[in-house]
Amino acid sequence: MSTLPRGLTVRRDAGLYGYERALHRHGVELVAGVDEAGRGACAGPLVAGAAILPPGKAGIIPGLADSKLLTEKARERCYAQVVRRALAWAVVVVPHGECDRLGMHVANIEALRRAVAQLDVRPDYVLSDGFPVDGLGTPGLAVWKGDRVAACVAAASVLAKVTRDRIMVELDADHPAYDFKTHKGYITDVHTAALEAHGPSSVHRMRFVNVRRAAGLEPPLPPRSADDDRGAEDGVDPAGEQHRLGA
């Protein structure tokens, strides 16, 4: 799964479109990128996106970058361009309940598989962000920080992020006490305070320790000392997975 075609190398300074160009030169025409949004959130769905950009100038998306590095307006502009220019694109939404049932890592891999499977065009190769995705039936490569170094992965990240943000804004209307429209369900101080004040909503992920604690299913934390640095401990589910914040 995690190998490039024999004889193919990608220079570190090749730019955002370097992976696709290198694969195209080796006869690999249809390169899909796949990425997710919401893995580190403790509320709302997990969303995965997949995209195949055309070769050459037609596949150049102005301003494209890792969705987390773009402003909201820039993401929306890139989203519109990806939808217009892509040879194929797909978005998959995994509800919070399914995330709880499967666990975040399994749900994440499953979402990425589904996104690739739903592409109207079968890719020749798949680039994924950070870790390999097996079961695709297509060769591919897990690229470290793929959403920052591979255009198709960045496009997929924009599709996933914009879709999930829109969903969280809609959920904010149903659950205004949690301010989902601002923090999108990630474990911010504002979100933590809302959890402590109101308990979990119907769209929170009960596998997360901070959510279970707010529901009274886990013992409270001891008082924090001045030099206490707990980091992101509240983002750990009972399976022991450490979730990224802001992903």
Side-chain angles (χ1 to χ4, degrees):
M1 173 64 191
S2 296
T3 58
L4 285 168
R6 179 173 294 183
L8 187 151
T9 59
V10 181
R11 292 167 54 98
R12 290 187 177 182
D13 60 353
L16 187 64
Y17 295 84
Y19 276 91
E20 286 95 329
R21 287 169 177 159
L23 287 162
H24 293 157
R25 287 196 299 269
H26 277 68
V28 181
E29 295 185 4
L30 301 175
V31 183
V34 62
D35 198 9
E36 52 72 32
R39 184 163 65 96
C42 66
L46 176 72
V47 178
I52 301 174
L53 299 177
K57 291 184 179 179
I60 303 298
I61 308 297
L64 181 63
D66 172 10
S67 63
K68 295 186 291 297
L69 302 180
L70 298 174
T71 65
E72 181 179 353
K73 289 184 178 180
R75 281 196 300 269
E76 290 284 352
R77 287 195 297 268
C78 286
Y79 178 95
Q81 287 291 316
V82 170
V83 169
R84 184 170 72 86
R85 293 171 180 258
L87 295 175
W89 64 276
V91 171
V92 168
V93 178
V94 180
H96 66 282
E98 189 172 359
C99 292
D100 277 343
R101 179 174 63 82
L102 296 176
M104 286 312 304
H105 180 69
V106 174
N108 189 49
I109 296 296
E110 180 63 23
L112 297 174
R113 285 196 199 106
R114 293 178 191 174
V116 173
Q118 289 190 17
L119 290 169
D120 292 336
V121 178
R122 182 178 177 84
D124 300 317
Y125 201 84
V126 178
L127 298 174
S128 58
D129 180 27
F131 50 85
V133 182
D134 59 8
L136 294 176
T138 302
L141 179 71
V143 182
W144 176 246
K145 294 189 180 299
D147 47 8
R148 301 189 185 189
V149 300
C152 58
V153 180
S157 77
V158 167
L159 291 173
K161 174 66 173 169
V162 170
T163 300
R164 187 177 189 279
D165 283 0
R166 291 174 179 176
I167 292 171
M168 295 308 296
V169 170
E170 292 177 358
L171 289 176
D172 180 78
D174 297 327
H175 306 277
Y178 298 91
D179 195 25
F180 287 145
K181 67 181 183 296
T182 300
H183 55 69
K184 307 299 190 296
Y186 292 101
I187 309 169
T188 65
D189 290 342
V190 171
H191 190 181
T192 298
L195 266 174
E196 292 174 352
H198 305 288
S201 73
S202 60
V203 297
H204 275 90
R205 301 175 186 171
M206 296 305 297
R207 273 184 172 259
F208 278 67
V209 172
N210 62 322
V211 178
R212 292 176 59 81
R213 186 174 294 123
L217 301 175
E218 295 283 342
L221 288 171
R224 184 178 298 219
S225 63
D227 59 351
D228 188 2
D229 182 13
R230 292 181 180 140
E233 114 175 355
D234 275 357
V236 182
D237 70 20
E241 180 183 350
Q242 187 78 34
H243 302 295
R244 292 181 299 170
L245 303 185

